[in-house]
Amino acid sequence: AKAIVLTENPALPAAQKIKIRNGVENRGKRVRVSGWVHRLRVQGKNMTFIILRDGTGYLQCVLTDTLCQTFDALTLTLESTVTVYGVINELPEGKTAPDNHELTVDYWECIGKAPGGEEAMSNKVNENSDPSVKYDLRHLVLREEKASGILKVRSQVMKAFRDHFDNRGFTEVTPPAMVQTSVEGGSTLFELNYYNEKAYLTQSSQLYLETCLPSLGDVYCLAESFRAEKSHTRRHLSEYTHCEAEMAFISFNDLLEQLEEMVCDVIDRTLAHKPSAEIVYKLNPSFKKPERPFLRMDYTEAIQYLKDNDIKKEDGTFYEVGEDIPEAPERAMTDKINRPIFLCRFPAEIKSFYMKRCPENNALTESVDVLMPGVGEIVGGSMRISDLEELMAAYIREGLDPNPYYWFTEQRKYGTSEHGGFGLGVERYIAWLLNLHTVRDACLYPRFTGRAFP
Ligand code: 4AD
């Protein structure tokens, strides 16, 4: 048999190069589209269907007769790259395809063929693969619909945070990632050799944001934070994206209002983007916008709640006031209450050095954790100490040398103000929105205990 060689018909109009997302407005015109073969279905000798993927969407392409009888057509494999030429037409009633249309191919080229058989991508990694294989082959897993869908929503969520703050007059800043002071205690610091000096990867940009208030007013950042976590849980990462904000001349109540407004506004903005909304409801069909106002609960009430609901420690005893509420009981309580909770006013001894005390009870702090059903804590925030003497005493109490913090301390010297802020874990927010089992799936290339590759 003579090999079939395809040529483009010179009598046809020139094909305009388009992306799949622009398919609908380009129906009826001759176009060309390049992408990866996502699905492949050979239907007899005279018809082959390709679902093409280009990162902007999926497009059904139909190849007929000689178009599907070339050597390249007969040996085509999933994940190969192709350019197809032809016209996109709406599908008749009863047929379904992405965007309800398909491209009738009149000419096509294979750009790069992917291996089939043993070496085929689907053979190396698929839904049934061991999690560690999935992380080793994350660069291939990203091609799957779920993994890429999550990243698309993530992109919109990040944009929504920026739009939220920009709309309210906040200035975005980019604080350093390499630092020489800790914010959240020494136990989770990643240390590095900085020109033979000790330095760390930042745990939080909070202290730097506080220094911006006198010059920029309300500020925020979306930056990476790093934690050398000992806990190997489905909500802990070694590197995560931290959305932090800081505001001057506010009260604790203002802080809570701003937080609630942000959590809800970011959902509204994300769902207003139609492709993201589709992914949200596909991955999390029962998603409902949280009801406002969020439940406000004090830490001491939570300790009582755990007792009343028989939620105990592993050793069978109850949590007592003054103890940290770990992940398991926090989750149990949040899932049982099943709505967002502002857990407020933690005892000073279990919180960070910079937190302001409650005017009504000096043992407690004006602090808040936002707890979401399914994930637990997604935000930590507080009012900050505004008095210089009180701050100096806090360093001493926590065993911190005040010297390296001089730049932070001087904010209390050169015109102090009541102020407060918070940090939200973007991966945890996404895990809640999309009902993901682990925050790792909300990352491009997750970093957690034992993994810093690929
Ligand atoms: O509660 P955290 O430690 O608070 C701070 O770092 C404050 N300095 C923030 C501020 O007020 N500007 O962390 C804040 C949030 C947590 O609620 C959680 O969502 C996220 O950061 N987070 C992590 N996310 C993933 N992996 C980890 N290891 C995380 N540690 C904290």
Side-chain angles (χ1 to χ4, degrees), residues 287-327:
F287 178 76
K288 274 191 221 66
K289 290 187 196 176
E291 274 173 45
R292 298 179 66 174
F294 291 179
L295 180 67
R296 281 148 164 84
M297 190 184 210
D298 276 353
Y299 161 89
T300 42
E301 293 175 89
I303 293 287
Q304 191 57 47
Y305 182 96
L306 297 180
K307 288 185 177 160
D308 294 346
N309 287 272
D310 208 32
I311 301 170
K312 294 178 180 159
K313 294 188 211 169
E314 270 177 12
D315 67 8
T317 63
F318 282 114
Y319 292 94
E320 298 297 338
V321 171
E323 289 183 310
D324 194 23
I325 303 175
E327 180 166 346

Side-chain angles (χ1 to χ4, degrees), residues 120-155:
M121 185 182 111
S122 58
N123 222 2
K124 295 179 77 172
V125 63
N126 55 51
E127 292 122 69
N128 307 320
S129 303
D130 192 73
S132 75
V133 172
K134 286 192 185 175
Y135 293 121
D136 285 345
L137 299 181
R138 181 75 181 155
H139 58 294
L140 299 179
V141 170
L142 290 175
R143 298 178 181 212
E144 293 172 359
E145 274 165 68
K146 182 173 177 184
S148 57
I150 294 168
L151 293 182
K152 288 193 173 198
V153 172
R154 181 184 162 111
S155 161

Side-chain angles (χ1 to χ4, degrees), residues 421-438:
F422 55 80
L424 172 144
V426 172
E427 291 80 6
R428 289 192 187 178
Y429 186 83
I430 293 168
W432 165 69
L433 180 64
L434 298 181
N435 192 29
L436 305 180
H437 175 70
T438 162

Side-chain angles (χ1 to χ4, degrees), residues 184 204 206 227 229 237 240 244 377-379 384 422 425:
E184 299 299 333
S204 158
Q206 177 194 322
R227 307 270 171 119
E229 299 282 1
L237 296 161
Y240 69 97
E244 295 184 272
E377 182 198 330
I378 64 161
V379 177
R384 325 301 193 188
F422 55 80

Side-chain angles (χ1 to χ4, degrees), residues 139-293:
H139 58 294
L140 299 179
V141 170
L142 290 175
R143 298 178 181 212
E144 293 172 359
E145 274 165 68
K146 182 173 177 184
S148 57
I150 294 168
L151 293 182
K152 288 193 173 198
V153 172
R154 181 184 162 111
S155 161
Q156 282 301 318
V157 166
M158 304 260 291
K159 182 173 183 300
F161 277 114
R162 289 203 160 93
D163 290 346
H164 169 83
F165 287 116
D166 291 347
N167 235 269
R168 283 159 181 75
F170 284 63
T171 299
E172 180 175 2
V173 292
T174 308
M178 301 159 102
V179 300
Q180 292 190 308
T181 45
S182 87
V183 192
E184 299 299 333
S187 69
T188 60
L189 280 176
F190 273 113
E191 199 178 301
L192 63 115
N193 178 328
Y194 191 78
Y195 306 107
N196 295 325
E197 268 185 49
K198 213 184 250 191
Y200 313 100
L201 294 175
T202 191
Q203 298 167 305
S204 158
S205 299
Q206 177 194 322
L207 306 187
Y208 293 97
L209 292 186
E210 289 187 50
T211 68
C212 296
L213 294 175
S215 49
L216 300 172
D218 298 342
V219 283
Y220 77 99
C221 67
L222 268 169
E224 299 298 279
S225 278
F226 305 86
R227 307 270 171 119
E229 299 282 1
K230 314 289 180 285
S231 39
H232 195 82
T233 80
R234 58 194 170 104
R235 71 176 197 191
H236 283 95
L237 296 161
S238 311
E239 173 176 355
Y240 69 97
T241 303
H242 206 169
C243 175
E244 295 184 272
E246 203 64 32
M247 291 157 281
F249 302 109
I250 58 163
S251 67
F252 185 45
N253 200 48
D254 294 336
L255 179 70
L256 299 182
E257 301 260 305
Q258 157 63 31
L259 250 174
E260 186 177 311
E261 176 69 19
M262 179 191 71
V263 168
C264 297
D265 184 46
V266 170
I267 298 168
D268 289 340
R269 289 174 187 272
T270 305
L271 295 181
H273 181 254
K274 225 180 121 227
S276 295
E278 280 171 16
I279 298 168
V280 170
Y281 288 111
K282 193 170 172 194
L283 295 180
N284 190 5
S286 60
F287 178 76
K288 274 191 221 66
K289 290 187 196 176
E291 274 173 45
R292 298 179 66 174

